[in-house]
């Protein structure tokens, strides 16, 4: 139950996702300190299959990240990137605007080309495990769609950025930080309307008991949603998923058609209850605010770092207003992203755990929650108990065994509370 949309990791020509195959189910857990250990919920064959997928995907995922970062740093911290910008701009007249736009496009195209083999490799692995239903032609079309979206966003943003650097090469990052925050917030609102339809077709869930149950669940939870939609995920994958996206008038619950045709109706309700937890706790809004603040902070750091003469000299740029500084900014941004990744994953795991707990409290059905977690893990071929270091570095969700352990701990605590006499407390009593 990820809060994202689009082709499965590695199925659109981009770098494969390191968290894919680690914990693809619902959301993280605040009780992740529980040691799951061996569990009878998964057979040895199921556990081995999940480990095999993770091990087969990991080299492609690590290779993609390492290659992308190494290429970006090589272009940004040497005159090679400046030469690329100058050459690309020269093909379109050599003006400053031409260098900015052509240089941006060249960096994006080169980065995608470098990671394309890794995306194809990850797709091949997932296909071997029965997770891919899409042909190579469809995969290529998705890769082109992703590239077009990236360029459509990057070109005007970078052009605006260099308009600011042209006005104030030393203080450009002050207005740019505010613009970055506003753009992040706007994209969070517009994403369901403009981006999601590029990769999937969405249809309203047909009237019937399932739709009524989901709308009733949202009403009981006090959450207003615009609609419940079905995504045609089956044309790409067999994986199960659902998510919530949008803010205010654009908020909707989306379920993969694979989930609706595979899971029991009660399991679907639990998946949606988890997603309602994100809405109830304002996770999308909080994420948008944090994302906006983070974007502003990144721009400030970029401005401070890119103003150093040593870095500009190494990159072959005169100052921040020089379009040849573009690869340097991209390299610094990539480095910041790589360093902040584990922190973002840790925050995500805690947010997801809270949504798990919300689903349990809303439905009161720990048994079905466990059944839902098992179905998600087995169908998505998850590694139900991955190495802890991989989970800490890359997983946005706790492992299936941890989530099941948390659900059973919640159930045991609830039963214990029910057994206590009225007025009793677990708090230690002071003996006088």
């Amino acid at each position: 139950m990820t809060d994202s949309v689009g082709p499965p990791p590695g199925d659109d020509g981009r770098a494969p996702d390191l968290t894919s195959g680690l914990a693809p189910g619902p959301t993280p857990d605040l009780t992740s300190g529980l040691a799951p250990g061996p569990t009878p919920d998964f057979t040895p064959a199921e556990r081995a299959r999940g480990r095999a997928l993770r091990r087969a995907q990991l080299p492609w995922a690590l290779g993609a990240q390492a290659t992308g970062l190494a290429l970006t740093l090589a272009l940004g911290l040497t005159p090679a990137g400046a030469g690329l910008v100058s050459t690309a701009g020269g093909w379109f007249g050599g003006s400053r605007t031409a260098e900015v736009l052509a240089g941006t496009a060249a960096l994006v195209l080169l980065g995608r080309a470098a990671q394309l083999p890794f995306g194809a490799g990850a797709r091949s692995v997932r296909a071997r495990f029965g997770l891919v239903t899409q042909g190579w032609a469809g995969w290529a079309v998705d890769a082109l769609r992703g590239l077009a979206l990236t360029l459509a966003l990057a070109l005007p943003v970078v052009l605006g950025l260099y308009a600011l650097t042209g006005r104030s090469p030393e203080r450009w990052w002050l207005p740019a930080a505010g613009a970055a925050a506003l753009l992040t917030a706007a994209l969070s609102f517009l994403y369901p309307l403009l981006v999601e339809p590029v990769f999937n077709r969405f249809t309203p869930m047909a009237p019937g008991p399932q739709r009524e149950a989901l709308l009733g669940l949202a009403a009981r939870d006090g959450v207003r949603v615009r609609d419940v939609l079905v995504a045609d995920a089956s044309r790409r994958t067999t994986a199960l998923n659902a998510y919530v996206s949008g803010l205010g008038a654009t908020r909707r619950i989306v379920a993969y058609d694979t989930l609706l045709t595979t899971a029991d109706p009660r399991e679907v309700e639990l998946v949606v209850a988890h997603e309602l937890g994100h809405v109830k706790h304002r996770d999308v809004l909080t994420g948008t605010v944090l994302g906006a603040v983070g974007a502003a902070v990144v721009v400030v750091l970029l401005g401070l770092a890119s103003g150093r003469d040593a870095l500009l000299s190494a990159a072959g740029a005169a100052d921040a207003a020089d379009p040849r500084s573009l690869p340097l900014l991209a390299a610094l941004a990539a480095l910041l992203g790589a360093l902040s990744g584990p922190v973002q994953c840790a925050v995500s795991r805690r947010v997801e755990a809270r949504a798990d707990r919300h689903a349990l409290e809303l439905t009161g059905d720990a048994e079905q929650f466990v059944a839902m977690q098992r179905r998600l893990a087995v169908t998505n071929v998850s590694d139900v108990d991955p190495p802890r270091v991989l989970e800490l570095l890359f997983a946005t969700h706790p492992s299936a065994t941890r989530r099941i352990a948390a659900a059973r701990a919640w159930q045991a605590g609830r039963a214990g509370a029910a057994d206590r006499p009225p007025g009793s407390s677990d708090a230690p009593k002071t003996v006088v």
Side-chain angles (χ1 to χ4, degrees):
M1 285 159 278
T2 56
D3 299 333
S4 60
V5 71
D11 283 359
D12 65 345
R14 295 175 295 175
D17 184 353
L18 282 170
T19 63
S20 178
L22 293 182
T27 325
D29 123 40
L30 294 174
T31 55
S32 59
L34 295 171
T39 170
D41 295 295
F42 302 98
T43 68
E46 291 166 345
R47 294 167 68 87
R49 183 170 168 79
R51 283 196 302 270
L53 175 59
R54 185 254 301 165
R55 288 169 178 167
Q57 286 194 128
L58 194 60
W60 296 107
L62 289 175
Q65 289 203 355
T67 299
L69 184 60
L71 176 63
T72 304
L73 293 178
L75 291 174
L77 301 180
T78 71
L84 176 66
V85 171
S86 296
T87 300
W91 294 341
F92 296 92
S95 67
R96 184 172 185 273
T97 299
E99 287 190 342
V100 170
L101 294 177
T104 299
L107 289 173
V108 170
L109 289 170
L110 191 58
R112 287 299 178 94
Q115 293 197 342
L116 195 64
F118 297 97
R123 181 202 176 280
S124 296
V125 169
R126 293 174 65 81
R128 290 205 310 268
F129 282 80
L131 290 171
V132 174
T133 60
Q134 184 183 46
W136 282 105
W139 176 84
V141 169
D142 280 340
L144 291 174
R145 286 172 176 165
L147 175 62
L149 275 174
T150 301
L151 290 173
L153 177 62
L155 292 176
V157 167
V158 176
L159 187 61
L161 174 66
Y162 275 89
L164 293 175
T165 63
R167 289 177 175 272
S168 177
E170 295 182 353
R171 293 288 183 267
W172 62 268
W173 45 269
L174 288 173
L182 291 175
L183 179 62
T184 300
L187 287 176
S188 180
F189 183 83
L190 295 174
Y191 188 89
L193 302 177
L194 301 181
V195 178
E196 289 180 0
V198 173
F199 290 103
N200 287 102
R201 288 190 292 271
F202 300 90
T203 56
M205 183 177 288
Q210 181 79 87
R211 180 181 174 83
E212 292 304 315
L214 297 182
L215 290 175
L217 192 67
R220 191 166 77 246
D221 205 21
V223 174
R224 295 181 62 183
V225 295
R226 180 183 180 186
D227 206 352
V228 181
L229 304 180
V230 180
D232 61 339
S234 58
R235 66 191 180 95
R236 288 193 183 90
T237 182
T238 60
L240 312 181
N241 199 6
Y243 61 91
V244 139
S245 67
L247 294 170
T250 68
R251 182 187 298 140
R252 68 262 192 96
I253 297 171
V254 179
Y256 277 18
D257 55 357
T258 51
L259 177 69
L260 298 175
T261 57
T262 302
D264 294 336
R266 184 59 173 167
E267 292 174 359
V268 175
E269 289 180 40
L270 275 154
V271 174
V272 171
H274 168 97
E275 298 304 326
L276 290 173
H278 287 305
V279 179
K280 190 75 171 179
H281 294 287
R282 297 181 174 86
D283 291 338
V284 177
L285 178 60
T286 301
T288 298
V289 172
L290 292 177
V293 172
V297 170
V298 166
V299 170
V300 171
L301 293 176
L302 290 179
L304 296 175
S306 64
R308 294 184 174 275
D309 292 337
L311 286 175
L312 288 168
S313 177
D319 55 28
D322 186 348
R324 293 177 298 175
S325 67
L326 177 57
L328 173 62
L329 293 179
L332 295 174
L335 193 58
L336 287 173
L339 293 175
S340 64
V343 176
Q344 295 181 52
C345 287
V347 172
S348 177
R349 288 194 298 272
R350 293 183 66 84
V351 169
E352 296 292 348
R354 184 173 62 185
D356 275 355
R357 198 162 54 241
H358 180 87
L360 290 165
E361 291 169 353
L362 179 60
T363 64
D365 196 343
E367 295 285 341
Q368 204 64 41
F369 181 91
V370 170
M372 177 264 290
Q373 289 293 334
R374 171 178 156 72
R375 184 184 297 277
L376 288 169
V378 172
T379 304
N380 293 349
V381 196
S382 303
D383 185 353
V384 299
D385 192 14
R388 188 60 174 155
V389 65
L390 291 180
E391 195 171 16
L392 291 173
L393 290 176
F394 304 122
T396 57
H397 297 64
S399 66
T401 53
R402 291 182 182 278
R403 302 177 82 170
I404 288 174
R408 289 186 171 136
W410 176 86
Q411 186 179 36
R414 185 186 184 196
D419 291 341
R420 286 194 296 271
S424 67
S425 171
D426 288 334
K429 296 178 173 59
T430 302
V431 179
V432 180

